Amino acid sequence: MSRRSFSTILAIVFLLTSCSGVGLSGLTSTDPTLRSNPDGLTTQKPFIASTGSPITPDSSQVPQPPIARPIYTLNAILDYATHSMAVDETIFFQNDTGVILPDLVMAVEPNLWAGCFVLRGLLVNGQDSGKPSFMGDRLVVPLVNSLVPGGSLTISLQFDLHLPAADIHHVFGFNTRQINLVDWYPFIVPYSNGWILHPPANVGEHLTYDVADFDVTVTQQDPSTPVVLAASAPEEKIADGSHYILKNARTFVFSASPSYQTVSITTADVTITSYYFRGNETPSGAVLDAATRAINTFSDIFGTYPHSSLSIVESPFFDGMEYDGLFFLSQDYYKTYDRKLLSNLVDLAVHETAHQWWFGQVGNDQAMEPWLDEALATYSEELFYEKNIPNISAWWVFRVESFSPSGWVDTDIYNGINFRTYANAVYLRGAQFLEAVRKIIGDEAFFAFLKDYSVTMSGKISTSKDFFRILGTHSKANISNLISSYFQHSK
Ligand SMILES: [Zn+2]
Protein backbone atom coordinates (compact mmCIF):
# COMPACT_ATOMS: atom_id res chain seq x y z
CA MET A 1 0.00 0.00 0.00
CA SER A 2 1.34 3.34 -0.83
CA ARG A 3 1.69 5.68 2.04
CA ARG A 4 -0.01 8.50 0.22
CA SER A 5 -3.00 6.49 -0.86
CA PHE A 6 -4.14 6.20 2.74
CA SER A 7 -3.26 9.59 4.02
CA THR A 8 -6.70 10.94 3.37
CA ILE A 9 -6.67 14.33 4.94
CA LEU A 10 -9.91 15.62 6.28
CA ALA A 11 -10.87 18.93 7.69
CA ILE A 12 -10.49 19.23 11.41
CA VAL A 13 -13.74 18.45 13.13
CA PHE A 14 -14.20 20.55 16.21
CA LEU A 15 -16.29 18.73 18.73
CA LEU A 16 -17.81 19.81 21.98
CA THR A 17 -17.41 16.46 23.60
CA SER A 18 -17.92 16.03 27.26
CA CYS A 19 -18.90 13.23 29.50
CA SER A 20 -20.05 14.98 32.65
CA GLY A 21 -21.19 16.77 31.05
CA VAL A 22 4.96 -10.32 30.72
CA GLY A 23 6.37 -11.09 33.82
CA LEU A 24 3.17 -11.18 32.11
CA SER A 25 3.12 -13.25 29.00
CA GLY A 26 1.62 -11.78 25.88
CA LEU A 27 -2.02 -12.38 25.15
CA THR A 28 -2.85 -15.15 22.72
CA SER A 29 -6.07 -16.35 21.25
CA THR A 30 -5.70 -19.68 23.02
CA ASP A 31 -5.51 -18.16 26.48
CA PRO A 32 -8.54 -19.75 28.18
CA THR A 33 -8.96 -16.74 30.42
CA LEU A 34 -9.78 -14.67 27.37
CA ARG A 35 -12.82 -16.67 26.44
CA SER A 36 -16.01 -14.79 26.88
CA ASN A 37 -19.48 -16.07 27.43
CA PRO A 38 -20.81 -16.99 24.00
CA ASP A 39 -23.83 -14.87 24.75
CA GLY A 40 -21.65 -12.10 26.04
CA LEU A 41 -22.02 -9.62 23.22
CA THR A 42 -25.66 -8.96 22.67
CA THR A 43 -24.92 -6.16 20.26
CA GLN A 44 -23.82 -8.78 17.80
CA LYS A 45 -27.04 -10.72 18.01
CA PRO A 46 -30.65 -9.81 17.35
CA PHE A 47 -32.20 -8.06 20.31
CA ILE A 48 -34.69 -10.13 22.23
CA ALA A 49 -38.04 -8.42 22.56
CA SER A 50 -39.08 -7.68 26.10
CA THR A 51 -42.08 -9.95 25.76
CA GLY A 52 -40.19 -12.67 23.95
CA SER A 53 -39.37 -16.05 25.38
CA PRO A 54 -35.79 -17.00 26.03
CA ILE A 55 -34.22 -18.82 23.13
CA THR A 56 -34.00 -22.52 23.96
CA PRO A 57 -31.13 -24.29 22.24
CA ASP A 58 -31.96 -27.25 20.04
CA SER A 59 -30.74 -30.28 21.98
CA SER A 60 -29.58 -31.85 18.73
CA GLN A 61 -27.21 -28.99 18.13
CA VAL A 62 -23.58 -29.52 18.82
CA PRO A 63 -22.43 -26.99 21.40
CA GLN A 64 -20.47 -24.25 19.74
CA PRO A 65 -17.11 -23.26 21.15
CA PRO A 66 -17.08 -19.86 22.82
CA ILE A 67 -16.09 -16.82 20.84
CA ALA A 68 -12.91 -15.12 21.94
CA ARG A 69 -12.85 -11.42 22.59
CA PRO A 70 -10.81 -9.31 20.18
CA ILE A 71 -7.18 -8.90 21.19
CA TYR A 72 -5.34 -5.66 20.43
CA THR A 73 -1.55 -5.83 20.58
CA LEU A 74 -0.06 -2.35 20.28
CA ASN A 75 3.63 -1.49 20.18
CA ALA A 76 4.18 2.26 20.18
CA ILE A 77 7.33 4.34 20.04
CA LEU A 78 6.56 7.74 21.52
CA ASP A 79 8.57 10.81 20.58
CA TYR A 80 7.39 13.28 23.20
CA ALA A 81 9.45 16.17 21.88
CA THR A 82 7.94 16.06 18.39
CA HIS A 83 4.44 14.99 19.51
CA SER A 84 4.56 11.95 17.27
CA MET A 85 4.31 8.20 17.62
CA ALA A 86 5.04 5.17 15.42
CA VAL A 87 2.73 2.23 16.06
CA ASP A 88 2.61 -1.45 15.13
CA GLU A 89 -0.84 -2.86 15.78
CA THR A 90 -2.12 -6.43 15.55
CA ILE A 91 -5.77 -7.31 16.03
CA PHE A 92 -7.07 -10.84 16.52
CA PHE A 93 -10.76 -10.90 15.61
CA GLN A 94 -13.28 -13.71 15.69
CA ASN A 95 -16.60 -13.27 13.92
CA ASP A 96 -19.35 -13.26 16.53
CA THR A 97 -21.87 -11.40 14.38
CA GLY A 98 -23.78 -14.44 13.14
CA VAL A 99 -23.43 -13.27 9.54
CA ILE A 100 -20.80 -13.63 6.83
CA LEU A 101 -18.60 -10.54 6.70
CA PRO A 102 -17.23 -9.43 3.31
CA ASP A 103 -15.38 -6.59 4.99
CA LEU A 104 -14.61 -5.07 8.36
CA VAL A 105 -15.24 -1.52 9.51
CA MET A 106 -12.79 0.20 11.80
CA ALA A 107 -12.97 3.53 13.60
CA VAL A 108 -9.84 5.63 13.09
CA GLU A 109 -10.42 8.72 15.17
CA PRO A 110 -6.99 10.33 14.54
CA ASN A 111 -8.03 10.62 10.90
CA LEU A 112 -10.46 13.36 11.95
CA TRP A 113 -7.45 15.67 12.36
CA ALA A 114 -5.71 16.84 9.22
CA GLY A 115 -2.30 15.27 8.84
CA CYS A 116 -2.47 13.30 12.08
CA PHE A 117 -2.87 9.71 10.88
CA VAL A 118 -0.55 8.17 8.29
CA LEU A 119 -1.14 4.52 7.47
CA ARG A 120 2.09 2.79 6.41
CA GLY A 121 0.78 -0.72 5.96
CA LEU A 122 -2.21 -2.99 6.43
CA LEU A 123 -2.33 -6.77 6.02
CA VAL A 124 -5.02 -9.34 6.73
CA ASN A 125 -3.61 -12.73 7.77
CA GLY A 126 -0.26 -11.51 6.51
CA GLN A 127 -1.53 -10.71 3.04
CA ASP A 128 -2.60 -7.65 1.13
CA SER A 129 -6.39 -7.86 1.06
CA GLY A 130 -7.17 -5.08 -1.37
CA LYS A 131 -7.48 -1.38 -1.07
CA PRO A 132 -9.14 -0.17 2.13
CA SER A 133 -11.19 2.99 1.92
CA PHE A 134 -11.39 5.96 4.25
CA MET A 135 -14.35 8.24 4.85
CA GLY A 136 -13.73 10.48 7.84
CA ASP A 137 -12.99 8.18 10.74
CA ARG A 138 -14.45 5.12 8.95
CA LEU A 139 -11.93 2.68 7.49
CA VAL A 140 -13.46 -0.16 5.47
CA VAL A 141 -11.13 -3.15 5.12
CA PRO A 142 -12.16 -5.54 2.31
CA LEU A 143 -11.56 -9.23 2.88
CA VAL A 144 -10.28 -11.49 0.08
CA ASN A 145 -12.10 -14.33 1.78
CA SER A 146 -15.30 -13.38 3.54
CA LEU A 147 -15.24 -14.20 7.25
CA VAL A 148 -17.81 -16.81 8.23
CA PRO A 149 -19.49 -16.85 11.64
CA GLY A 150 -17.02 -18.23 14.16
CA GLY A 151 -14.10 -17.67 11.79
CA SER A 152 -11.14 -15.59 12.87
CA LEU A 153 -8.45 -13.46 11.32
CA THR A 154 -5.53 -11.25 12.20
CA ILE A 155 -5.11 -7.70 10.96
CA SER A 156 -1.77 -5.98 11.22
CA LEU A 157 -1.36 -2.24 10.76
CA GLN A 158 1.58 0.10 10.86
CA PHE A 159 0.88 3.78 11.24
CA ASP A 160 2.29 7.08 12.42
CA LEU A 161 0.55 9.72 14.49
CA HIS A 162 1.45 13.39 14.24
CA LEU A 163 -0.55 14.71 17.14
CA PRO A 164 -2.59 17.89 16.94
CA ALA A 165 -2.52 20.66 19.51
CA ALA A 166 -5.36 19.85 21.89
CA ASP A 167 -8.11 22.44 22.31
CA ILE A 168 -10.36 22.91 25.32
CA HIS A 169 -12.96 20.58 23.88
CA HIS A 170 -10.62 17.63 23.33
CA VAL A 171 -8.17 15.70 25.42
CA PHE A 172 -6.61 14.06 22.34
CA GLY A 173 -3.30 15.61 21.29
CA PHE A 174 -0.62 17.67 23.00
CA ASN A 175 -0.59 20.77 25.17
CA THR A 176 2.24 22.55 26.92
CA ARG A 177 2.31 20.03 29.76
CA GLN A 178 1.22 16.64 28.43
CA ILE A 179 0.31 14.34 25.54
CA ASN A 180 -3.03 12.52 25.72
CA LEU A 181 -3.59 9.38 23.64
CA VAL A 182 -7.30 8.50 23.53
CA ASP A 183 -8.98 6.61 20.70
CA TRP A 184 -5.51 6.62 19.17
CA TYR A 185 -5.54 3.30 17.29
CA PRO A 186 -7.90 1.82 14.68
CA PHE A 187 -10.44 -0.51 16.25
CA ILE A 188 -13.16 -2.76 14.84
CA VAL A 189 -16.53 -1.28 15.70
CA PRO A 190 -19.46 -3.35 17.05
CA TYR A 191 -21.89 -5.01 14.68
CA SER A 192 -25.65 -5.30 15.15
CA ASN A 193 -27.63 -5.43 11.92
CA GLY A 194 -24.77 -3.39 10.50
CA TRP A 195 -21.60 -1.78 11.74
CA ILE A 196 -22.14 0.72 14.55
CA LEU A 197 -20.12 3.82 13.74
CA HIS A 198 -21.92 7.14 13.92
CA PRO A 199 -20.50 10.49 12.81
CA PRO A 200 -19.22 13.04 15.32
CA ALA A 201 -21.63 15.72 16.56
CA ASN A 202 -21.33 19.08 18.24
CA VAL A 203 -22.08 17.56 21.64
CA GLY A 204 -21.54 14.22 23.29
CA GLU A 205 -19.52 11.16 22.35
CA HIS A 206 -20.24 9.28 19.12
CA LEU A 207 -18.37 5.99 19.54
CA THR A 208 -19.57 2.56 20.57
CA TYR A 209 -17.12 -0.12 21.67
CA ASP A 210 -17.11 -3.87 22.09
CA VAL A 211 -15.08 -5.25 24.95
CA ALA A 212 -11.60 -6.49 24.08
CA ASP A 213 -8.25 -7.40 25.59
CA PHE A 214 -5.19 -5.20 25.24
CA ASP A 215 -1.44 -5.87 25.30
CA VAL A 216 0.27 -2.50 25.00
CA THR A 217 3.95 -1.58 24.96
CA VAL A 218 5.06 2.05 24.93
CA THR A 219 8.74 2.82 24.49
CA GLN A 220 10.25 6.28 24.43
CA GLN A 221 12.16 7.51 21.43
CA ASP A 222 14.46 9.56 23.62
CA PRO A 223 14.89 7.93 27.03
CA SER A 224 17.26 10.71 28.10
CA THR A 225 14.23 12.92 28.68
CA PRO A 226 11.86 10.52 30.45
CA VAL A 227 8.17 11.13 30.82
CA VAL A 228 5.73 9.72 33.34
CA LEU A 229 2.89 7.68 31.86
CA ALA A 230 -0.65 7.44 33.22
CA ALA A 231 -2.61 4.57 31.67
CA SER A 232 -5.70 2.40 31.73
CA ALA A 233 -3.80 -0.44 33.42
CA PRO A 234 -0.98 -0.94 35.94
CA GLU A 235 2.46 -0.24 34.53
CA GLU A 236 5.18 -2.88 34.17
CA LYS A 237 8.50 -1.15 33.66
CA ILE A 238 10.57 -2.43 30.75
CA ALA A 239 13.72 -1.10 29.08
CA ASP A 240 13.02 2.43 27.86
CA GLY A 241 9.33 2.08 28.38
CA SER A 242 6.24 0.48 29.84
CA HIS A 243 4.10 -2.60 29.25
CA TYR A 244 0.43 -2.99 30.06
CA ILE A 245 -2.20 -5.73 30.06
CA LEU A 246 -5.86 -4.72 30.20
CA LYS A 247 -8.61 -7.31 29.81
CA ASN A 248 -12.31 -7.02 29.16
CA ALA A 249 -12.30 -3.30 28.45
CA ARG A 250 -13.70 -0.97 25.82
CA THR A 251 -10.58 1.03 25.11
CA PHE A 252 -6.99 1.57 26.22
CA VAL A 253 -5.74 5.11 26.75
CA PHE A 254 -2.66 6.74 28.20
CA SER A 255 -1.19 10.15 28.93
CA ALA A 256 2.44 11.27 29.09
CA SER A 257 4.11 14.20 30.80
CA PRO A 258 7.57 15.00 32.14
CA SER A 259 5.88 17.04 34.88
CA TYR A 260 3.39 14.67 36.48
CA GLN A 261 3.25 14.50 40.24
CA THR A 262 1.43 11.48 41.64
CA VAL A 263 -0.34 10.38 44.77
CA SER A 264 -1.81 6.89 45.15
CA ILE A 265 -3.89 4.77 47.45
CA THR A 266 -4.81 1.09 47.34
CA THR A 267 -8.21 -0.04 48.51
CA ALA A 268 -9.88 -3.41 48.02
CA ASP A 269 -7.06 -4.50 45.66
CA VAL A 270 -7.54 -1.44 43.44
CA THR A 271 -4.72 1.09 43.16
CA ILE A 272 -6.00 4.60 42.46
CA THR A 273 -3.47 7.17 41.29
CA SER A 274 -4.02 10.87 40.86
CA TYR A 275 -1.73 12.49 38.23
CA TYR A 276 -1.48 16.24 38.68
CA PHE A 277 0.78 19.22 38.20
CA ARG A 278 2.82 20.94 40.89
CA GLY A 279 0.79 23.37 42.96
CA ASN A 280 -2.38 21.29 42.88
CA GLU A 281 -1.56 18.96 45.75
CA THR A 282 -4.72 19.77 47.71
CA PRO A 283 -7.27 19.29 44.92
CA SER A 284 -5.40 16.22 43.70
CA GLY A 285 -5.75 14.69 47.15
CA ALA A 286 -9.46 15.52 47.14
CA VAL A 287 -9.85 13.81 43.78
CA LEU A 288 -8.07 10.73 45.08
CA ASP A 289 -10.30 10.61 48.15
CA ALA A 290 -13.47 11.08 46.12
CA ALA A 291 -12.57 8.37 43.61
CA THR A 292 -11.60 5.95 46.38
CA ARG A 293 -14.87 6.46 48.20
CA ALA A 294 -16.77 6.27 44.94
CA ILE A 295 -15.19 2.94 44.00
CA ASN A 296 -16.13 1.50 47.37
CA THR A 297 -19.66 2.91 47.21
CA PHE A 298 -20.35 1.82 43.66
CA SER A 299 -18.77 -1.61 44.15
CA ASP A 300 -21.31 -2.15 46.91
CA ILE A 301 -24.27 -0.91 44.88
CA PHE A 302 -23.47 -1.96 41.30
CA GLY A 303 -20.96 -4.79 41.61
CA THR A 304 -17.21 -5.14 41.96
CA TYR A 305 -14.93 -2.65 40.21
CA PRO A 306 -13.54 -4.61 37.25
CA HIS A 307 -9.91 -3.51 37.07
CA SER A 308 -6.92 -3.41 39.38
CA SER A 309 -6.18 0.27 38.89
CA LEU A 310 -7.75 3.64 38.18
CA SER A 311 -5.82 6.67 36.94
CA ILE A 312 -7.10 10.22 37.25
CA VAL A 313 -5.39 12.81 35.07
CA GLU A 314 -5.50 16.61 35.37
CA SER A 315 -5.78 18.22 31.95
CA PRO A 316 -6.44 21.72 30.58
CA PHE A 317 -9.69 21.03 28.78
CA PHE A 318 -13.41 21.48 29.32
CA ASP A 319 -15.09 19.20 31.87
CA GLY A 320 -14.27 15.51 32.32
CA MET A 321 -13.90 12.49 30.07
CA GLU A 322 -14.09 8.82 30.92
CA TYR A 323 -12.21 5.81 29.58
CA ASP A 324 -11.61 2.34 31.00
CA GLY A 325 -9.33 2.55 34.01
CA LEU A 326 -8.58 6.25 33.45
CA PHE A 327 -10.40 9.52 33.31
CA PHE A 328 -9.42 13.11 32.69
CA LEU A 329 -10.59 16.05 34.77
CA SER A 330 -10.50 19.69 33.82
CA GLN A 331 -7.71 21.76 35.30
CA ASP A 332 -10.33 24.44 35.94
CA TYR A 333 -11.91 22.26 38.62
CA TYR A 334 -8.55 21.95 40.36
CA LYS A 335 -8.02 25.71 40.25
CA THR A 336 -11.47 26.53 41.62
CA TYR A 337 -11.58 23.82 44.28
CA ASP A 338 -12.92 25.34 47.50
CA ARG A 339 -12.33 22.32 49.77
CA LYS A 340 -16.06 21.56 49.80
CA LEU A 341 -17.42 18.10 49.14
CA LEU A 342 -20.16 19.63 47.04
CA SER A 343 -17.82 21.07 44.42
CA ASN A 344 -17.37 20.53 40.72
CA LEU A 345 -14.05 18.80 41.36
CA VAL A 346 -15.44 16.19 43.74
CA ASP A 347 -18.78 15.80 41.98
CA LEU A 348 -17.20 15.28 38.56
CA ALA A 349 -14.55 12.91 39.94
CA VAL A 350 -17.42 10.82 41.28
CA HIS A 351 -19.30 11.09 37.97
CA GLU A 352 -16.31 9.89 35.95
CA THR A 353 -15.67 7.06 38.40
CA ALA A 354 -19.29 5.95 37.94
CA HIS A 355 -18.60 5.66 34.21
CA GLN A 356 -16.38 2.67 35.01
CA TRP A 357 -19.70 0.87 35.38
CA TRP A 358 -21.92 2.95 33.03
CA PHE A 359 -19.72 2.93 29.91
CA GLY A 360 -16.89 0.59 30.89
CA GLN A 361 -18.77 -2.47 32.12
CA VAL A 362 -22.23 -1.74 30.70
CA GLY A 363 -21.64 -0.38 27.23
CA ASN A 364 -24.12 1.56 25.13
CA ASP A 365 -24.48 3.36 21.84
CA GLN A 366 -23.25 6.73 23.09
CA ALA A 367 -24.49 8.60 20.02
CA MET A 368 -28.06 7.34 19.85
CA GLU A 369 -28.77 6.46 23.49
CA PRO A 370 -26.40 8.58 25.57
CA TRP A 371 -28.81 8.65 28.50
CA LEU A 372 -27.96 5.03 29.29
CA ASP A 373 -24.54 5.98 30.57
CA GLU A 374 -24.90 9.70 31.31
CA ALA A 375 -28.16 9.64 33.29
CA LEU A 376 -26.90 6.72 35.35
CA ALA A 377 -23.49 8.34 35.93
CA THR A 378 -25.21 11.56 37.01
CA TYR A 379 -27.63 9.78 39.32
CA SER A 380 -24.66 7.86 40.70
CA GLU A 381 -23.37 11.21 41.98
CA GLU A 382 -26.52 11.50 44.07
CA LEU A 383 -26.04 7.96 45.37
CA PHE A 384 -22.44 8.81 46.31
CA TYR A 385 -23.44 11.84 48.37
CA GLU A 386 -26.40 10.03 49.86
CA LYS A 387 -24.25 7.13 51.02
CA ASN A 388 -21.21 9.13 52.13
CA ILE A 389 -22.59 12.44 53.40
CA PRO A 390 -25.95 12.10 55.10
CA ASN A 391 -28.44 14.93 54.79
CA ILE A 392 -26.78 16.54 51.79
CA SER A 393 -29.94 17.10 49.79
CA ALA A 394 -28.21 20.21 48.43
CA TRP A 395 -26.82 18.02 45.62
CA TRP A 396 -30.11 18.26 43.78
CA VAL A 397 -29.99 22.04 43.85
CA PHE A 398 -26.27 22.22 43.07
CA ARG A 399 -26.28 19.78 40.17
CA VAL A 400 -29.84 19.67 38.82
CA GLU A 401 -32.45 22.16 39.95
CA SER A 402 -30.26 25.25 39.53
CA PHE A 403 -30.34 24.56 35.78
CA SER A 404 -34.16 24.15 35.61
CA PRO A 405 -33.65 21.24 33.22
CA SER A 406 -36.04 20.40 30.43
CA GLY A 407 -35.99 18.19 27.36
CA TRP A 408 -36.35 14.52 26.53
CA VAL A 409 -34.12 12.05 28.32
CA ASP A 410 -33.74 10.04 25.11
CA THR A 411 -32.25 12.94 23.18
CA ASP A 412 -29.42 11.76 20.93
CA ILE A 413 -26.19 13.68 20.32
CA TYR A 414 -27.47 15.00 16.98
CA ASN A 415 -30.46 16.76 18.57
CA GLY A 416 -28.72 18.14 21.63
CA ILE A 417 -28.60 21.71 20.19
CA ASN A 418 -25.79 22.82 22.51
CA PHE A 419 -24.04 21.30 25.46
CA ARG A 420 -26.23 22.94 28.09
CA THR A 421 -29.54 21.89 26.52
CA TYR A 422 -28.12 18.43 25.78
CA ALA A 423 -26.84 17.93 29.33
CA ASN A 424 -30.06 19.30 30.83
CA ALA A 425 -32.13 16.76 28.90
CA VAL A 426 -29.91 13.68 28.98
CA TYR A 427 -28.02 14.04 32.26
CA LEU A 428 -30.26 16.11 34.51
CA ARG A 429 -33.73 15.08 33.39
CA GLY A 430 -32.27 11.59 33.26
CA ALA A 431 -31.32 11.80 36.93
CA GLN A 432 -34.78 13.13 37.76
CA PHE A 433 -36.35 10.22 35.90
CA LEU A 434 -34.29 7.66 37.83
CA GLU A 435 -35.23 9.33 41.11
CA ALA A 436 -38.90 9.22 40.10
CA VAL A 437 -38.62 5.51 39.23
CA ARG A 438 -37.02 4.87 42.62
CA LYS A 439 -39.86 6.63 44.44
CA ILE A 440 -42.48 4.57 42.61
CA ILE A 441 -40.92 1.12 42.92
CA GLY A 442 -39.19 1.62 46.27
CA ASP A 443 -35.57 1.34 47.35
CA GLU A 444 -35.45 -2.44 47.62
CA ALA A 445 -36.57 -3.02 44.04
CA PHE A 446 -34.61 -0.05 42.72
CA PHE A 447 -31.26 -1.13 44.13
CA ALA A 448 -31.86 -4.75 43.19
CA PHE A 449 -32.52 -3.54 39.66
CA LEU A 450 -29.35 -1.42 39.54
CA LYS A 451 -27.15 -4.34 40.53
CA ASP A 452 -28.98 -6.79 38.25
CA TYR A 453 -28.75 -4.40 35.29
CA SER A 454 -25.04 -3.79 35.90
CA VAL A 455 -24.16 -7.47 36.28
CA THR A 456 -26.46 -8.76 33.53
CA MET A 457 -25.30 -6.23 30.94
CA SER A 458 -21.62 -6.28 31.92
CA GLY A 459 -19.44 -6.79 28.86
CA LYS A 460 -22.38 -6.13 26.56
CA ILE A 461 -23.86 -3.14 24.77
CA SER A 462 -27.10 -2.26 26.47
CA THR A 463 -30.14 -0.64 24.89
CA SER A 464 -33.16 1.14 26.33
CA LYS A 465 -35.07 -2.07 25.71
CA ASP A 466 -32.62 -3.98 27.91
CA PHE A 467 -32.91 -1.31 30.60
CA PHE A 468 -36.70 -1.47 30.78
CA ARG A 469 -36.84 -5.25 30.35
CA ILE A 470 -34.62 -5.78 33.38
CA LEU A 471 -36.41 -3.04 35.34
CA GLY A 472 -39.68 -4.84 34.64
CA THR A 473 -38.41 -7.99 36.33
CA HIS A 474 -37.99 -6.09 39.60
CA SER A 475 -41.30 -4.28 39.81
CA LYS A 476 -44.77 -4.61 38.35
CA ALA A 477 -45.51 -0.96 39.08
CA ASN A 478 -47.02 0.90 36.15
CA ILE A 479 -44.52 3.57 35.13
CA SER A 480 -45.88 4.17 31.63
CA ASN A 481 -47.07 7.69 32.44
CA LEU A 482 -43.69 8.46 33.95
CA ILE A 483 -41.91 7.19 30.87
CA SER A 484 -44.20 9.24 28.62
CA SER A 485 -43.35 12.41 30.49
CA TYR A 486 -39.59 11.90 30.22
CA PHE A 487 -39.09 10.00 26.97
CA GLN A 488 -39.87 11.19 23.48
CA HIS A 489 -40.02 7.64 22.11
CA SER A 490 -41.97 6.10 24.91
CA LYS A 491 -43.97 3.43 23.19
ZN1 LIG B 1 -20.50 11.51 31.82
Side-chain angles (χ1 to χ4, degrees):
M1 315 282 168
S2 86
R3 175 175 173 140
R4 288 187 181 281
S5 63
F6 298 111
S7 59
T8 304
I9 305 303
L10 300 177
I12 297 176
V13 178
F14 288 98
L15 307 176
L16 290 168
T17 58
S18 172
C19 109
S20 34
V22 156
L24 291 169
S25 60
L27 299 173
T28 70
S29 61
T30 55
D31 182 344
T33 66
L34 304 182
R35 300 289 177 181
S36 63
N37 184 319
D39 293 322
L41 298 173
T42 57
T43 184
Q44 299 175 348
K45 295 180 171 61
F47 296 124
I48 300 171
S50 57
T51 55
S53 302
I55 297 172
T56 305
D58 181 344
S59 59
S60 65
Q61 286 184 335
V62 177
Q64 297 298 306
I67 299 293
R69 289 193 294 266
I71 302 171
Y72 289 78
T73 304
L74 295 145
N75 292 294
I77 302 173
L78 173 66
D79 189 337
Y80 188 86
T82 64
H83 315 130
S84 61
M85 196 160 70
V87 184
D88 281 348
E89 176 179 13
T90 302
I91 307 168
F92 168 82
F93 175 77
Q94 188 169 13
N95 182 359
D96 192 30
T97 68
V99 300
I100 298 172
L101 299 173
D103 51 32
L104 298 176
V105 172
M106 307 181 80
V108 187
E109 298 308 290
N111 205 46
L112 293 172
W113 279 264
C116 177
F117 182 81
V118 179
L119 185 62
R120 289 185 281 108
L122 191 159
L123 299 174
V124 178
N125 291 331
Q127 297 182 323
D128 190 335
S129 75
K131 184 177 180 179
S133 60
F134 257 127
M135 181 177 290
D137 58 350
R138 176 182 290 255
L139 176 63
V140 180
V141 180
L143 302 176
V144 172
N145 300 307
S146 293
L147 190 62
V148 299
S152 62
L153 54 73
T154 299
I155 302 178
S156 57
L157 305 97
Q158 294 78 45
F159 60 91
D160 294 331
L161 295 178
H162 303 285
L163 298 172
D167 61 69
I168 63 168
H169 300 301
H170 298 87
V171 291
F172 179 69
F174 70 89
N175 56 57
T176 58
R177 288 175 143 182
Q178 66 192 172
I179 284 177
N180 298 325
L181 279 304
V182 302
D183 296 318
W184 52 280
Y185 52 86
F187 66 91
I188 300 170
V189 301
Y191 186 100
S192 177
N193 298 318
W195 298 102
I196 304 175
L197 179 55
H198 305 293
N202 290 331
V203 297
E205 293 94 65
H206 64 284
L207 295 172
T208 308
Y209 310 84
D210 277 327
V211 291
D213 299 317
F214 299 87
D215 183 329
V216 182
T217 302
V218 181
T219 53
Q220 298 182 32
Q221 179 75 29
D222 180 7
S224 66
T225 54
V227 295
V228 176
L229 299 184
S232 289
E235 178 182 46
E236 178 202 1
K237 284 285 189 186
I238 59 172
D240 299 337
S242 308
H243 176 250
Y244 305 92
I245 295 285
L246 181 66
K247 294 184 178 182
N248 205 13
R250 309 273 167 190
T251 184
F252 183 95
V253 304
F254 69 98
S255 175
S257 173
S259 309
Y260 279 142
Q261 309 294 305
T262 65
V263 57
S264 296
I265 191 170
T266 298
T267 177
D269 296 327
V270 180
T271 298
I272 305 151
T273 304
S274 179
Y275 296 80
Y276 65 98
F277 298 108
R278 196 176 299 281
N280 277 339
E281 286 76 12
T282 298
S284 177
V287 164
L288 185 68
D289 178 64
T292 303
R293 295 164 74 162
I295 282 183
N296 290 329
T297 300
F298 298 151
S299 290
D300 285 344
I301 301 175
F302 309 144
T304 307
Y305 179 75
H307 305 301
S308 59
S309 69
L310 176 65
S311 300
I312 307 157
V313 181
E314 175 187 349
S315 187
F317 81 114
F318 173 73
D319 222 341
M321 188 57 70
E322 75 278 9
Y323 301 92
D324 295 88
L326 186 152
F327 62 82
F328 294 90
L329 272 184
S330 171
Q331 197 165 75
D332 291 342
Y333 299 149
Y334 290 71
K335 290 177 180 175
T336 58
Y337 177 57
D338 56 6
R339 296 176 183 260
K340 293 179 179 175
L341 281 166
L342 206 54
S343 62
N344 281 329
L345 183 75
V346 172
D347 192 38
L348 272 295
V350 171
H351 177 101
E352 307 305 340
T353 303
H355 273 304
Q356 297 301 310
W357 284 264
W358 317 125
F359 162 81
Q361 290 204 66
V362 180
N364 61 298
D365 185 329
Q366 296 188 106
M368 302 311 294
E369 296 191 306
W371 78 275
L372 283 170
D373 66 301
E374 295 298 359
L376 277 161
T378 305
Y379 192 70
S380 297
E381 299 166 32
E382 196 282 333
L383 294 176
F384 170 85
Y385 284 108
E386 179 183 325
K387 301 294 181 184
N388 289 278
I389 307 156
N391 306 315
I392 191 162
S393 58
W395 179 85
W396 282 103
V397 176
F398 170 80
R399 179 63 155 143
V400 180
E401 291 161 8
S402 60
F403 294 98
S404 301
S406 62
W408 299 111
V409 174
D410 53 343
T411 298
D412 62 43
I413 65 170
Y414 308 105
N415 291 291
I417 304 176
N418 60 53
F419 179 70
R420 191 67 263 161
T421 55
Y422 168 73
N424 283 356
V426 173
Y427 296 53
L428 305 189
R429 288 278 287 165
Q432 289 177 325
F433 168 72
L434 291 168
E435 175 73 359
V437 169
R438 179 179 173 184
K439 284 181 175 172
I440 290 177
I441 72 173
D443 276 11
E444 183 177 349
F446 184 76
F447 285 104
F449 157 68
L450 284 180
K451 180 165 282 186
D452 187 9
Y453 176 66
S454 172
V455 171
T456 300
M457 299 312 297
S458 179
K460 305 174 186 176
I461 296 174
S462 181
T463 66
S464 296
K465 188 175 290 185
D466 292 317
F467 179 94
F468 288 111
R469 172 177 52 81
I470 295 172
L471 178 60
T473 66
H474 290 275
S475 174
K476 299 305 176 190
N478 186 343
I479 60 169
S480 57
N481 288 338
L482 185 68
I483 295 173
S484 296
S485 63
Y486 281 91
F487 286 77
Q488 188 174 10
H489 307 291
S490 57
K491 291 189 290 297

